[in-house]
Every structure is written in C-alpha cells, then in structure tokens.
Amino acid sequence: MNAQTQDTRTPKMPLVAIAVLVACVTAFVGIARLTGIGVADVSDEPFVERMQVRFLDEADGGVGAYEPETDVVLHVFQPGEGGFVRTALRSLGLNRRKLGIGPQPPYELHKSATGHVVLFDPTTHKSITLDAFGDANEADFAQLFDLPTERDVP
C-alpha cells in the first residue's frame, strides 16, 4: 500500500446512532398518530360565541375589521401592529384568490367555552386554530369579541 493512501472507511458508531434516532422518531410519531397521545384537538369543543368579520386593507397599510352587515369599523390594526393578523389573513386569502373569491365575504371567528378562538373562512371551509400560534396572537383576534358594536349602543 502507498504511504499516501488514506483510510476512507466510515465510522460505524455515528451511522448506528443516526439509524436509531430515525427509528425512534418514526416510532414516536406513529404512536402519537395512532393513539392521539400528545395531540391537542379543539375541534370537538363546542363554540359558544360566533361573529362574522370582514377584513379589508386600509389605505395607510393597516387592516380594518368591519361588521359585515353595517360596515361599522370594529378595529383597525395599524401598520406595525397585528402582524399575525395580516399573516393569518394572507394565508386564508391565498385560498380565496385561487378560487376567484374576493375580500368581500366575511370570515367567522368562533370562540369556545374555554376561550379558544378559531378563524374560519366559510367560502373555502379552511380554518386556523389561533391558540396554536401563542396567546398573544390569539388575543389579537379574541379582542374583537369584546369590542362594542353598533348593536350594543342603546
């Protein structure tokens, strides 16, 4: 053998460790999917409150939340705030654009007895469970339930 020939054998221990890791992750995912252990599902929770909201882009870059029947402004997420609101609406809006649906049909916000909030698009039947993205992001949408509307004014 030449003195400059290098030993190019792959060490077996790292390969065995990687194979064990992949097998364990696959097993844990399989067990979780079959048994439901570790999976949070709020879809069976009954909703106690529901409201329709139309979201429209404002001229200044904000996002306005409107009551669909009266076009009363519920809240405006100013530029620089409500980043998650924009992201969630863009995600659902993409599905609407693919189907040729504009921004006029309202979205629905559903609130469960335990306070979970879901943003639902009745035109595409897509939804986003908002607490999956953190309490602060869910609170951006949940605050709309607490705002006074034209119906509340005597």
Side-chain angles (χ1 to χ4, degrees), residues 1-149:
M1 238 168 139
N2 189 343
Q4 292 181 346
T5 305
Q6 294 180 351
D7 188 10
T8 57
R9 288 182 282 167
T10 305
K12 290 183 182 177
M13 221 33 193
L15 293 176
V16 170
I18 290 170
V20 169
L21 177 66
V22 168
C24 287
V25 168
T26 303
F28 288 138
V29 168
I31 290 169
R33 293 204 30 112
L34 290 173
T35 63
I37 295 174
V39 177
D41 185 20
V42 297
S43 62
D44 293 338
E45 263 188 287
F47 294 109
V48 296
E49 214 173 330
R50 182 184 79 136
M51 72 181 297
Q52 291 188 327
V53 182
R54 180 178 296 123
F55 293 97
L56 298 172
D57 290 328
E58 300 291 318
D60 65 355
V63 175
Y66 294 86
E67 191 170 67
E69 294 177 16
T70 62
D71 280 334
V72 170
V73 177
L74 298 172
H75 183 71
V76 176
F77 298 94
Q78 299 296 332
E81 70 176 32
F84 176 72
V85 172
R86 286 177 180 73
T87 303
L89 293 172
R90 281 189 192 121
S91 174
L92 292 177
L94 178 63
N95 293 317
R96 284 185 171 194
R97 282 191 299 281
K98 286 179 182 177
L99 296 172
I101 301 168
Q104 289 304 320
Y107 291 93
E108 290 181 359
L109 286 173
H110 298 177
K111 188 175 186 180
S112 72
T114 57
H116 294 290
V117 179
V118 173
L119 176 63
F120 176 68
D121 185 354
T123 61
T124 63
H125 301 286
K126 302 285 183 188
S127 64
I128 299 175
T129 304
L130 300 170
D131 71 328
F133 299 95
D135 293 339
N137 291 325
E138 183 181 34
D140 284 344
F141 284 97
Q143 71 177 328
L144 297 175
F145 283 102
D146 301 327
L147 297 172
T149 63

